[in-house]
Amino acid sequence: MVLPSDVTDPSPVPAPVPPARNPEASGSRGPDDDLPRIVPRRHVGRRLTAAAALLLFAMVVNSVVRNRAFQWEVVGRYFTTAAVLDGLLLTLWLTGVVMVLGFLLGTPLAVMRLSANPVLRTLSWGYVWIFRSTPLLVQLLFWFNIGALYPTLGLGIPFGPQFVTVETVNLLGPALTAVIGLTLHEAAYAAEVVRGGILSVDAGQTEAAQALGIGRGRTLRRIVVPQAMRSIVPTAGNMLIGTLKGTSIVSVLAVHDLLYSVQLVYNQTYQVIPLLLVATLWYIAVTTLLGIGQFYVERYYARGSARALPPTPVQRLRVRLAALRVRLERATAPGARPAAGSEQ
């Protein structure tokens, strides 16, 4: 009698493995070539939209370039004249000074706004409220006519005698008035930018610093502010570009900035459009350079928050050129396969 335990299942017989095919020896295609080809989806609507947009852009460029009313030869003649370049330098100087002084004043205001002292919080809030509620042109005109309210300015004991006095008219010229007005205006916005950046840092960072016995001032300088820069830099870059363009308003004070210098020229030549184009092109050029600088500053402060930094435009160009070079090499290689979908 055969017991059930004596009966064993036969081991499975492995399936025969086909011999490897050598495409070079047999002259046939490899196994990968037998797979179905993947044909990319054709986005007809996207291509038609892109073609229509390019056509519209070409029409606009053609109308600008071929329109003689723009007088491009006049634009080229005055683009690098001494008067225009002097106005451009004053605009750049005014922008740099206003931004530096604005953030030097706005940072303490932001710290005061976050302080536990109710008096400091109220004063900071009141400053920001007043200067953000008043138009910039009104502020400039007010500071330009400050001599009507305070004919003299003095230095001495508070509520007591003054040791040094000077006439306000002799002290505040148009350029200094523009610096004061723009700085006080920008400081109000800079205070809110810095305050928003500080609030974007997790409160646990401050608590951990306090647990380690680090003082509040050092915590703010070494821990909070470096992390807040990731939120401050983009908005500060927009403020910088806005200040560059906003300096054109000082032309009402007869400050020889870029716009005022251009106005002096076309008041004599009556070539308004070409001279305005000169100022426009200079503003576009400087704004483009500032935008590039802002990109690299943001990339610098993003080192601790991202595992991989975003590629720079130069790196993107190198990757695209390398991909194009590989495609060309594959297309020109002997026995190259046709592209997917080309046989249809």
Side-chain angles (χ1 to χ4, degrees), residues 91-92 94-95 99 136 182 186 237-251 257-259 279-280 282-288 290:
T91 296
L92 296 177
L94 194 60
T95 302
M99 285 299 298
L136 178 57
L182 291 175
E186 291 298 319
N238 293 333
M239 282 185 57
L240 177 60
I241 295 175
T243 303
L244 172 70
K245 297 182 296 183
T247 53
S248 60
I249 201 172
V250 301
S251 60
D257 68 319
L258 178 59
L259 180 60
T280 301
W282 272 120
Y283 281 122
I284 292 176
V286 177
T287 302
T288 303
L290 293 179

Side-chain angles (χ1 to χ4, degrees), residues 50-64:
L54 290 176
L55 178 61
L56 180 61
F57 176 74
M59 294 172 60
V60 173
V61 172
N62 179 70
S63 65
V64 172

Side-chain angles (χ1 to χ4, degrees), residues 75-98:
V75 174
R77 187 191 317 153
Y78 286 99
F79 192 73
T80 56
T81 56
V84 173
L85 294 180
D86 291 342
L88 176 64
L89 291 178
L90 182 58
T91 296
L92 296 177
W93 175 83
L94 194 60
T95 302
V97 170
V98 168

Side-chain angles (χ1 to χ4, degrees), residues 154-165:
L155 180 63
I157 301 176
F159 307 103
Q162 297 180 351
F163 304 115
V164 179
T165 58

Side-chain angles (χ1 to χ4, degrees), residues 41-53:
R41 179 182 178 183
R42 294 177 175 85
H43 300 278
V44 180
R46 183 185 303 175
R47 294 179 180 179
L48 291 177
T49 304

